[in-house]
Amino acid sequence: MPRIWVLLPLVLAFIIGSLSRSINARVTDTNSEMLELRENVTKTETHCSKGLHLGGQFCCQLCPPGTRKVADCTVNGDKPTCMLCQEGKEYTDNEHYSSKCRRCKLCDGGHGLEVETNCTQTQNTKCRCKPNFYCDTSVCEHCEPCTTCEHGIIEKCTPTSNTKCKKESFNYNLWWFCLLLLPIAIVFGLIFQGRFFKCLSKKHDYHESMPSHPMST
């Protein structure tokens, strides 16, 4: 009998330990299932349908062009609070969910640019090259001065292309004119040369025909 009383507490301790481990395992499985369920619910809540944006706890519509978001919506699918951009300084050209507008672009006159279309609440500034400047790239931030031609223009300078100049070439008209004048110049030269020699010959004959005077003693 004493031995039975000694073994009884050990048996009870073994049974209680087994039950405790079983209960803890069930609690752990239940917690895992609840965590997965919460994750699935969170994923469902954070996924908004097309055209909506998650703002805070709700899926909101987008702000229209020319405005910026001020506050989120308070009901799913509702509109947020939007405010107009500053006219002439800011713009947004698409639907969006940003709290800021974009800054209007400046046309730098020092880089040969001028304003083509002013900035509005829904459209950015459009720049173009000033007269006598051009830019041949798709995105133009700097215009170059047009080339000045020395020997004639083939194509005039445009805002998107430089001047095309004629190359220096031999003047055939002047060459033919000189070629025609050459025989005439030769003829006149020969005539002038003949008259010159004829004049010299007459002068020589005149001196020979003059009587010589004897020297007085």
Side-chain angles (χ1 to χ4, degrees):
M1 288 295 293
R3 291 181 179 179
I4 295 174
W5 288 107
V6 171
L7 293 174
L8 185 61
L10 295 174
V11 173
L12 291 174
F14 176 77
I15 294 171
I16 293 171
S18 299
L19 291 173
S20 177
R21 286 193 295 270
S22 178
I23 293 171
N24 289 335
R26 290 180 181 178
V27 170
T28 302
D29 293 339
T30 303
N31 290 337
S32 298
E33 291 177 357
M34 292 181 65
L35 181 61
E36 290 180 0
L37 181 61
R38 287 179 181 177
E39 289 179 352
N40 291 334
V41 171
T42 302
K43 290 180 180 178
T44 303
E45 289 177 350
T46 57
H47 180 72
C48 297
S49 59
K50 188 176 180 180
L52 299 178
H53 184 90
L54 182 64
Q57 299 178 352
F58 304 100
C59 293
C60 306
Q61 297 181 24
L62 302 178
C63 286
T67 64
R68 63 181 178 88
K69 186 200 71 171
V70 178
D72 299 322
C73 63
T74 56
V75 179
N76 271 325
D78 201 3
K79 295 181 179 180
T81 303
C82 303
M83 180 180 291
L84 290 172
C85 301
Q86 294 186 56
E87 181 70 34
K89 294 183 178 181
E90 300 174 334
Y91 78 101
T92 51
D93 52 0
N94 293 305
E95 290 184 333
H96 67 99
Y97 206 76
S98 175
S99 60
K100 295 181 179 179
C101 298
R102 296 179 178 179
R103 288 184 177 274
C104 296
K105 182 170 64 175
L106 298 177
C107 302
D108 191 348
H111 288 167
L113 294 167
E114 66 178 8
V115 176
E116 180 179 1
T117 305
N118 289 320
C119 185
T120 65
Q121 292 172 331
T122 59
Q123 179 179 288
N124 195 9
T125 312
K126 288 185 179 180
C127 302
R128 65 185 177 192
C129 293
K130 296 192 297 185
N132 299 321
F133 283 82
Y134 78 98
C135 180
D136 54 5
T137 58
S138 57
V139 180
C140 187
E141 299 292 340
H142 183 90
C143 295
E144 300 290 342
C146 298
T147 301
T148 302
C149 301
E150 296 182 1
H151 306 287
I153 298 174
I154 298 176
E155 292 183 9
K156 293 182 178 180
C157 184
T158 69
T160 57
S161 63
N162 193 12
T163 314
K164 291 185 179 180
C165 301
K166 292 181 179 179
K167 295 181 179 179
E168 185 177 5
S169 59
F170 185 78
N171 194 331
Y172 288 97
N173 293 330
L174 181 61
W175 186 82
W176 281 109
F177 180 73
C178 293
L179 188 62
L180 291 173
L181 284 180
L182 182 60
I184 299 174
I186 292 173
V187 171
F188 275 101
L190 292 174
I191 293 173
F192 177 77
Q193 185 179 13
R195 289 184 177 181
F196 178 74
F197 282 112
K198 187 175 182 180
C199 181
L200 287 178
S201 178
K202 286 183 178 181
K203 188 175 182 181
H204 179 70
D205 294 340
Y206 173 76
H207 284 292
E208 287 184 349
S209 63
M210 290 182 65
S212 58
H213 298 280
M215 294 178 64
S216 59
T217 57

